[in-house]
Amino acid sequence: MNDDNTRRRTVLETDSLKNLGSCTAQLRDSHAQCAQSYPNFDVPFEEFRDAVAAAATKYLIGLAEPNAQPSPAELERFIGELKIPDLYLGLACMRGNEHAWWEFDRQHRSFIERWTRHLLRGDADADEVIDAVYVELFGTRVVDGIRQSKFRTYTGRGSLRGWLRAIILHAAVDVHRAPKVEVSIDDWSEGGDDFPVRHVSGGETEDTMLTSVVRERYRSATVAALDQALATLDDHETLLLLYYHVEGLKLREIARIVEEPKSPIRRWFQRRSSKRSRVHESTVMRWLDKVYRKVHERFHAELAGKHGLKPEEIEICKAIAAEDPAQTINISPVTGSVLKKEEIRSEGAS
Amino acid sequence: MKSAEQKGDPQMTAIRRAIDLRLKARMRDEAAARAAAAHPDEDVINAYVEGWLEESKAESFTSHLVSCASCLHMTAQLIRFDPEMEEAASPSADLDQGPLQRFFDRLASGVLPSMDEDAVFAYQDKRESTDKSEKTESDPNPSEPETNKM
């Protein structure tokens, strides 16, 4: 069953790729293999070619310079890397071919259910999300005569199953209308440099007010220095920290993605390492350790240089930054009073 | 070689804790700021995680990730995915009816949500709650690296 209202794109990307013609034989061969494997899917060669052209336009145009055209060799390699059977299946589903949908269900339905239930841990909610995913994949909206099947966005650059995982993640968020980021805000509740101005009650002594002013000064310096230190990191180093600290990925999970031969993080790591050994949890820990030291040195240098703080003041800043409840911060050289960390924590959270 | 943490270096413990708190606060702010911003689609996100992006595109996406809490979370979820689950989800050959038929059956029975209606659902990721409680039980400091336990 073909759906005449479903067309991949109104503008043929083929026209914008000057060298695609040199790959016609490769494309015809790929298409013929798919048609042989799935004779009932009924995907015309032109539609298949246009889909590949759209993928190449999306991922190859402008790599070296704006609007730079990929060479015939680059296109050939790119097409060779595409998940052609997955793309063919997606195209046929997008056209509403019932044989293709049956095959899609056979290959992926069980996976979709498992992944959704794995994400949500609640069968009733999972059913809602699974239905939403199928609605999106099939496409119930029609814009300018074109049914908006989600398969329109699948290019075959990655696996169909990986793409489905991402679709389900988005669908789960949409269904639940919940923010995706579940960041603990127990500590350091005010981000950035906009720390709240502490309201001083009439009963507070002059010493306490002075302490408050000094504390705010240290706090501001701490945040600025830490941000500056973090800003000196390579994006990949920051990403490593974010995965570990913000997303809570385990060391073995980070190690696993680095082990992937084509992982972008692996490419980055290999440029910085003479070794090509396996990446274990301990390897990731060593990278983290290296990054911690880098931030620590830079943080120290910022506080001493830019903010002109003395060593004992830097220690106060470190304590503020870490909010270690066991640590007592003595700022008596400036104010003559002693603050306990718990006091700073409670005020910082106000 | 032992890490600084294993040696009990309080300086490193402090800076690690500081980084942990600061990054979480920053990403929370980024999440709010980027809520309505444009993000790469699922195709790009998956291609990145699977390692299929050309290097310059991957670099560009990495730069986006470090300032976009939403996409960071998405990629982390995909990385966290357990490959064993995929193996368990083998194709089922015993489908008794076509998927379109089932889809329309559900549509006819009113099970499918209306695309135009707003609905609010309470959502809690029990897995994360469990993970956190387990982590808390075994380790009072949630940001302690795993190697410390070895």
Side-chain angles (χ1 to χ4, degrees), chain A residues 36 43 63 72 88-89 91 141 145 239 250 265 273 322 325 339:
Chain A
Q36 191 174 15
V43 176
L63 283 180
Y88 194 80
L89 175 60
L91 286 171
R141 281 191 315 130
L239 187 60
K250 295 179 172 62
I265 298 178
S273 173
L339 288 177

Side-chain angles (χ1 to χ4, degrees), chain A residues 27 37 53 69 93 97 118 127 138 144-145 212 218 221 227 239 242 284-285 288 312 317 320 331 348:
Chain A
L27 286 173
S37 300
Q69 287 282 327
C93 287
N97 182 293
H118 171 77
D127 286 340
F138 185 77
D144 295 334
S212 176
Y218 287 141
D227 279 348
L239 187 60
L242 289 170
V284 178
M285 193 60 239
L288 283 168
E312 58 269 27
C317 290
I320 287 173
I331 55 173

Side-chain angles (χ1 to χ4, degrees), chain A residues 41-62:
Chain A
F41 283 10
D42 201 20
V43 176
F45 170 73
E46 292 72 21
E47 198 162 317
F48 174 77
R49 180 200 59 202
D50 290 347
V52 172
T57 302
K58 180 175 182 178
Y59 287 105
L60 294 183
I61 291 282

Side-chain angles (χ1 to χ4, degrees), chain A residues 202-323:
Chain A
E204 288 182 298
T205 64
E206 193 175 324
D207 267 2
T208 314
M209 288 163 58
L210 188 55
T211 301
S212 176
V213 170
V214 171
R215 185 172 44 240
E216 286 307 316
R217 179 192 163 218
Y218 287 141
R219 198 187 294 276
S220 297
T222 300
V223 173
L226 194 52
D227 279 348
Q228 187 56 42
L230 290 168
T232 62
L233 297 178
D234 179 285
D235 279 344
H236 294 87
E237 291 171 323
T238 309
L239 187 60
L240 188 65
L241 290 178
L242 289 170
Y243 276 149
Y244 187 68
H245 287 280
V246 177
E247 290 299 330
L249 284 187
K250 295 179 172 62
L251 296 174
R252 69 168 180 277
E253 290 169 330
I254 297 174
R256 194 170 66 217
I257 191 177
V258 178
E259 278 289 283
E260 284 292 319
K262 293 180 84 61
S263 156
I265 298 178
R266 183 182 181 83
R267 287 197 295 252
W268 163 76
F269 172 67
Q270 286 187 336
R271 282 199 299 271
R272 283 157 178 78
S273 173
S274 54
K275 294 181 181 177
R276 291 292 181 271
S277 55
R278 267 186 69 86
V279 175
H280 298 285
E281 287 93 328
S282 60
T283 320
V284 178
M285 193 60 239
R286 279 200 299 278
W287 298 349
L288 283 168
D289 214 37
K290 208 185 248 183
V291 179
Y292 293 145
R293 289 182 185 284
K294 196 169 168 180
V295 173
H296 180 255
E297 285 170 17
R298 192 65 214 165
F299 178 61
H300 217 279
E302 281 286 316
L303 289 172
K306 195 168 178 180
H307 298 275
L309 299 187
K310 297 170 188 166
E312 58 269 27
E313 292 177 304
I314 292 174
E315 290 307 312
I316 292 171
C317 290
K318 284 180 187 170
I320 287 173
E323 293 203 354

